[in-house]
């Protein structure tokens, strides 16, 4: 059963959405929006000054483009970033291998860009470890320039900080390099890893990923039914969520009553004030650190290098637009694009 | 009696400003600034290296432009946005009609821009309702392209969320559309409404407004003597406060000892760190939600889509500059412009 | 003994960094980074597809440029801004003289820019006074245009607010002007002073400085071993920290176990999310006001006009990169530049 089917079924069962024209957008199932069945709305024509025929046809053409974008969501593209990388374990050490290389990456259907990627993913594979874990990262550099990895947010010994000529030599083309450390206690939460060499270019092209440290004792507030990491970017690949541009972005799915945790991470050059429709977000952590008093918002300004963790209590079923509120990052006269996705509550 | 007169009278009465060159800026009354009567200051000439005559006359010309701008404040322009729209009430439903259409809008004296406006205002009319109210919005589209209204910050049923092709059909040129809902309990505060169709263009051109929900039981901290909504914008109309550019911006007026509540709303594409001179702001709410612990500042960074409510305890009389601290949004070598106004405490 | 020597000695003594290639960057002492002694890392060559000779030599050339930048840090340049200005005291009044004039300023070795400076410094001299102090500022204008000084964050009587044509006449070329006031009680912390006339240009060119007000009774949390003021700028002088661009920026130095207080001030036009490697920052004040509950981060977004005070518990020895995380403000393919410095813990 697709999420689209679930939405429809939920709608019928609860009678809640029964007269709506909700476009069920999920799992590839798309139900067309019928104008005659508009929700609380009644569409009537205005007596006053009808628009000229040419303007009307331009308006129709614009509607078609907008509709096509929405109907295509979530559009299929080659490649998926931010996939959990299972470590191989040797003598209690969790070992992760990261290979940096140039690839072609599809950000939206047919939009191919050059990416510099870890393990052929943009963002790179998601690292998930636990406080106190012993970990080893083996970086293989298949790029044509040097590189290095910085573990952004982790409080590590200086020698594994990843800054060439300050804490290590650059990792040259064709070379490999090993970082090994214990994940520090008390420093759990949402962190990142990314290149710290020629970083404006290398991170801009995709050498970045999420580094999540699970706490030994999670607090009640951070336990969630759905845990979603959303990496914002705005470099050479355009405006993206987890390396994809609308309509190829991934919807966030939860059931009514579930707790959704969203981990925002900004790896770009601009702020992105993320706006969720219909439900508020409770901010629980900044850069991995629990905030002293959680606070609520519907628009959260995420600056480059920042991570913010929020909880959404998914109380209200529907397809909720979720986008950057710098509108030119999200919509043009050709329809929605870039930093747009949806929270789908069934 | 104009505010200018009040400032002068207050000054005399309290002796506080009696030697000042305060330019009384309000209600059209402008008192010239006399150099010989400078406040704590004494103006003397420097012995060292006098500037060349041409530089001096350039400096004089620059002073004249700066002075003319300040003297013109608050300058009269045609049209005023953000005016409270009284609903018509039918069977306990508060009904608001919004007509979207193209108009000419004067942002500063003589500066006419094309605006797409609700009810011929930029920002659109201010909606003021109460938690639990039953409301109906009838949108009339007199534009040459489709549109729709999103109630930004309100936790409504999905079917009235206002996103074409997701929760409703687009409202076509010449058509009308009705949204009806109960204003949710517990979701009071400073919200917005704006187009959610081709929004980078439509909101940029003016299809936006304040949606204020009064609580059934206001907290002590949020009760204020003066309640002011300040919508920041930076699109096709330049840098504006409530649709106007300095010197046509509106001053915020309060009496000494009064509590002034300012509701910041950013409908633009850029951050605007708002700086108040001479008095601090206590932040009490974010996106309508009370902050867990109010905090103080004099410069508040407001990102697109965000709303922030602050309280100013107007303890200090005077004309206090109040502006975006991204200085190119507020001043050029021709004088102050754009995102500048004043809090006038009498 | 240079800091470089101290780092090395500390390393040997503690055995902590003993196998590292740490480049000791401080006090002019620079130790080359040996690839063969890389920290936790082992450098091996990848079998797969060796890069072409030309790419390799391009990579080598890039490494050389990056290395040269780091080795040059902290590079010597003429002029140092933000130096504490000792007042002269007359009848219990602390008197500060500020002379605004055009100078040449070296932001990085060989990079000369035109600056408009107070007392030939960019930023202007640091003002340090105490709550309740009686102070007098005598401004001398040696510029070819008018000017004025605004004391940003101080809650002063309107007449000394420093806004030409509103609270005072402009201070003309060749003229002087006097501001006198009592530093208000309860308004201590990190403030600024800067031009408020033609400010986009004048502040952009350097007419700005730190204005620190010491509390009569400092709280425990704000007492620090090292107190550092970091003014961010991004105008005509490029991306700078205290008027200098990497590698001419100044490192922040502390000993292991010390408390470092950093006072961030943004006098530019853009946000700068400041990222500290390896250790977190505890935010204790915003715009001089204690935050109700200190919170932790490693990346702090500082907007124009804002001041943020943070405490770093320097628990971890090393050279910790400290930079704006808008990467194009910090690095190019020619190496690090602009908004980069280091916290050096010995």
């Amino acid at each position: 059963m697709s999420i689209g089917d679930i939405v429809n079924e939920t709608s019928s069962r609860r009678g809640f959405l029964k007269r709506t024209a909700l476009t069920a957008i999920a799992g590839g199932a798309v139900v067309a929006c019928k104008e005659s069945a508009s929700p609380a709305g009644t569409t009537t024509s205005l007596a006053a000054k009808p628009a000229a025929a040419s303007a009307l046809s331009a308006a129709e053409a614009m509607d078609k483009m907008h509709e096509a974008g929405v109907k295509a969501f979530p559009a299929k593209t080659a490649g998926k970033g931010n996939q959990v990388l299972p470590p191989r374990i040797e003598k209690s050490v969790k070992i992760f291998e990261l290979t940096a290389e140039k690839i072609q990456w599809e950000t939206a259907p047919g939009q191919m860009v050059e990416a510099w990627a870890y393990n052929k993913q943009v963002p790179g594979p998601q690292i998930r470890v636990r406080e106190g874990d012993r970990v080893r990262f083996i970086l293989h550099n298949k790029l044509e320039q040097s590189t290095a990895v910085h573990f952004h947010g982790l409080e590590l010994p200086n020698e594994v900080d990843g800054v060439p000529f300050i804490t290590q030599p650059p990792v040259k083309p064709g070379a490999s390099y090993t970082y090994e450390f214990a994940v520090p206690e008390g420093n759990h939460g949402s962190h990142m890893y990314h290149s710290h060499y020629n970083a404006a270019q290398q991170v801009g092209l995709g050498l970045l990923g999420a580094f999540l440290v699970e706490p030994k004792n999670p607090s009640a507030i951070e336990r969630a039914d759905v845990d979603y990491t959303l990496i914002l970017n705005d470099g050479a690949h355009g405006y993206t969520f987890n390396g994809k541009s609308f309509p190829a972005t991934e919807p966030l799915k939860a059931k009514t009553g579930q707790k959704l945790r969203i981990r925002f991470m900004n790896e770009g050059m601009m702020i992105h004030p993320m706006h969720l429709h219909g439900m508020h977000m409770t901010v629980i952590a900044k850069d991995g650190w629990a905030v002293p008093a959680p606070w609520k918002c519907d628009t959260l300004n995420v600056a480059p290098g920042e991570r913010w963790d929020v909880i959404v209590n998914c109380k209200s079923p529907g397809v909720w637009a979720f986008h950057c509120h710098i509108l030119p990052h999200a919509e043009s006269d050709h329809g929605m694009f870039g930093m747009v996705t949806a929270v789908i509550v069934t």
Side-chain angles (χ1 to χ4, degrees), chain A:
Chain A
M1 187 158 69
S2 76
I3 293 291
D5 296 335
I6 293 168
V7 171
N8 288 332
E9 192 193 275
T10 311
S11 303
S12 314
R13 194 174 59 237
R14 309 163 114 257
F16 172 63
L17 295 168
K18 67 172 173 269
R19 290 178 314 113
T20 81
L22 174 73
T23 306
I25 294 160
V30 175
V31 177
C33 183
K34 277 173 269 169
E35 211 174 306
S36 55
S38 68
T42 49
T43 302
T44 58
S45 67
L46 273 181
K49 206 169 73 178
S54 67
L56 273 175
S57 73
E60 284 296 332
M62 185 183 282
D63 284 355
K64 290 261 177 293
M65 288 187 289
H66 281 248
E67 185 176 17
V70 173
K71 280 194 172 171
F73 175 73
K76 282 192 182 160
T77 47
K80 179 172 159 62
N82 193 35
Q83 296 184 63
V84 174
L85 179 62
R88 107 175 160 261
I89 300 180
E90 285 179 14
K91 295 180 186 170
S92 302
V93 180
K94 291 185 175 172
I95 300 170
F96 301 91
E97 305 223 8
L98 295 174
T99 300
E101 67 193 300
K102 202 180 286 188
I103 62 168
Q104 289 293 305
W105 185 252
E106 194 176 19
T107 58
Q111 289 187 358
M112 301 304 295
V113 295
E114 177 182 316
W116 296 16
Y118 294 120
N119 301 8
K120 303 191 198 298
Q121 297 177 35
V122 181
Q126 186 182 113
I127 306 300
R128 270 209 179 244
V129 296
R130 207 150 166 264
E131 279 184 291
D133 278 355
R134 187 85 200 163
V135 298
R136 186 181 304 147
F137 285 83
I138 306 170
L139 170 66
H140 304 292
N141 183 6
K142 290 190 177 173
L143 300 169
E144 292 187 350
Q145 58 182 232
S146 294
T147 192
V149 174
H150 168 59
F151 302 93
H152 179 114
L154 289 164
E155 307 201 339
L156 302 177
N158 199 237
E159 68 203 56
V160 286
D161 192 43
V163 186
F165 303 113
I166 295 185
T167 65
Q168 66 166 82
V171 183
K172 306 240 178 222
S176 295
Y177 193 85
T178 300
Y179 301 87
E180 184 168 331
F181 52 87
V183 176
E185 309 269 339
N187 181 211
H188 55 79
S190 302
H191 303 301
M192 307 194 290
Y193 66 97
H194 56 72
S195 167
H196 211 288
Y197 180 86
N198 189 23
Q201 185 184 20
Q202 294 194 359
V203 177
L205 283 165
L207 291 172
L208 59 98
F211 194 118
L212 309 185
V213 180
E214 291 169 358
K216 283 186 174 169
N217 300 300
S219 64
I221 202 170
E222 71 179 305
R223 281 194 208 107
D225 302 297
V226 182
D227 188 332
Y228 196 88
T229 298
L230 188 62
I231 302 183
L232 317 174
N233 219 333
D234 52 43
H237 300 162
Y239 298 112
T240 57
F241 288 161
N242 290 342
K244 301 289 175 174
S245 185
F246 185 88
T249 48
E250 184 183 36
L252 290 75
K253 299 173 189 172
K255 292 188 198 307
T256 306
Q258 282 191 322
K259 267 177 73 174
L260 165 64
R261 178 184 190 161
I262 306 171
R263 303 170 187 259
F264 295 102
M265 306 186 170
N266 187 333
E267 279 283 19
M269 300 175 284
M270 307 172 185
I271 58 153
H272 298 292
M274 289 295 303
H275 176 54
L276 176 59
H277 285 219
M279 295 176 296
H280 61 272
M281 303 183 273
T282 301
V283 175
I284 62 165
K286 165 80 173 87
D287 298 349
W289 300 99
V291 299
W295 48 276
K296 295 174 183 177
C297 65
D298 54 60
T299 306
L300 183 67
N301 187 22
V302 186
E306 289 190 326
R307 290 89 63 211
W308 289 95
D309 282 38
V310 305
I311 295 290
V312 179
N313 288 307
C314 297
K315 62 178 184 180
S316 198
V319 177
W320 299 105
F322 184 35
H323 59 92
C324 177
H325 213 280
I326 297 181
L327 299 177
H329 299 183
E331 197 171 18
S332 78
D333 56 359
H334 286 221
M336 293 192 289
F337 76 101
M339 296 183 135
V340 177
T341 185
V343 172
I344 301 181
V345 181
T346 52

